[in-house]
Amino acid sequence: RSSDLTTVTCKAKHPCFSETKALLTTRDAGVPLKPPSVVISQPSLEDLFKRDTLPLVCEVTSFYPQEILVMWENNGTMINKSRFIGGPVTRSGQTLSTYSLLTIEKKRDRGDFTCAVTHPTLAAAKKDSISDVFGCFGKQVEPVMYIVKPSYEDLLQDNGNISCLVQGYDLNSNAVSWEIDGVPSTMARFEDVVTHPNKTQSIWS
C-alpha cells in the first residue's frame, strides 16, 4: 500500500557504470496522513444566466499524501476524462490541494453532477454533488412583484383594473394567480412572458 511507504527505490546495475538509482518518495516521514476535503464551488448567477457553457470547479484540499484521483459523474454515470481537466497539486504546510474543472453545456447537460475523489486515506470515494445546475440556480433569485392600483378616475366609474407585474428568472404565467378576500379568482387576464436582453423575464396580469 502506497500510504504505508516513505520511499520506493528502483536500482539498475551495468558493468560499465556504477549502480543507478531512481527514487519515488510517496510521503515524508513524520507527516500525518490526512483525508481530503471535497467541495464543488457554486457557479455565479452572472455566469449562469449569461453563458451557454458553465465551469464547475471541484476543490480538493487539506490532504496528504499526494496520491489522489478526481473523477466526475453525471446522474451516477462516470464522465469521460476528456471532458474535464485537473489542476496542479500545491502544498501549504503539511497538506496538499488541487482542483478539477468540468465544463458543462446548458443545452446538453442536466441533472446531478458529482465530484468523486479517491485517496489512500479513504475506504470509499469521497463525493460532493450539485443538482440541476441550470434549473435550480435561477430559482434562487426570488421574483419581484408589484401591484398597480386602478386610477381614481376608473374607480369613480366602477371599472378599475388592478395590475400585477412579476419580474425574475424562469417565469411561467401558470404560476401567477389571483385571490379576492382569500378566494381564488378566475377573472384575471395574463400577458405573454417577456424575456429581456439581460435574460430576466416579466409578466403582466
Side-chain angles (χ1 to χ4, degrees):
R1 291 172 52 194
S2 62
S3 61
D4 296 331
L5 303 175
T6 300
T7 303
V8 177
T9 304
C10 179
K11 297 181 179 181
K13 292 183 178 181
H14 190 277
C16 299
F17 302 95
S18 60
E19 185 177 76
T20 303
K21 297 180 180 180
L23 303 180
L24 172 64
T25 301
T26 60
R27 65 184 178 94
D28 297 334
V31 177
L33 277 65
K34 296 182 179 180
S37 172
V38 181
V39 177
I40 298 177
S41 298
Q42 302 286 2
S44 70
L45 290 174
E46 182 178 4
D47 282 346
L48 181 64
F49 294 113
K50 290 186 177 180
R51 301 177 58 168
D52 293 326
T53 61
L54 189 69
L56 293 183
V57 180
C58 179
E59 298 180 357
V60 186
T61 59
S62 303
F63 63 89
Y64 195 86
Q66 180 170 333
E67 294 84 4
I68 198 156
L69 176 65
V70 184
M71 301 294 291
W72 286 88
E73 300 172 2
N74 180 208
N75 298 323
T77 301
M78 199 70 68
I79 296 176
N80 191 287
K81 292 182 180 179
S82 62
R83 289 194 54 195
F84 56 87
I85 60 173
V89 176
T90 59
R91 184 163 187 161
S92 176
Q94 292 187 337
T95 62
L96 304 169
S97 299
T98 188
Y99 67 88
S100 180
L101 187 149
L102 170 69
T103 300
I104 61 176
E105 298 180 9
K106 184 176 293 187
K107 294 182 179 179
R108 178 187 63 184
D109 298 313
R110 297 290 177 178
D112 299 339
F113 289 90
T114 300
C115 177
V117 176
T118 303
H119 189 258
T121 60
L122 302 172
K126 191 170 186 178
K127 300 181 179 182
D128 189 34
S129 298
I130 187 170
S131 300
D132 196 14
V133 179
F134 293 107
C136 69
F137 273 91
K139 297 178 180 63
Q140 289 187 358
V141 180
E142 186 174 354
V144 178
M145 302 183 67
Y146 304 91
I147 294 287
V148 182
K149 298 178 181 179
S151 67
Y152 182 65
E153 182 180 358
D154 287 342
L155 288 176
L156 292 176
Q157 298 177 10
D158 292 330
N159 64 352
N161 293 319
I162 300 175
S163 299
C164 179
L165 172 64
V166 183
Q167 295 178 320
Y169 294 99
D170 296 327
L171 299 180
N172 187 328
S173 60
N174 294 330
V176 181
S177 61
W178 288 86
E179 294 180 359
I180 300 176
D181 293 331
V183 179
S185 173
T186 59
M187 298 186 296
R189 300 190 307 272
F190 300 92
E191 296 184 1
D192 293 334
V193 176
V194 177
T195 301
H196 305 284
N198 64 355
K199 297 189 178 182
T200 61
Q201 294 177 316
S202 61
I203 304 172
W204 275 102
S205 175

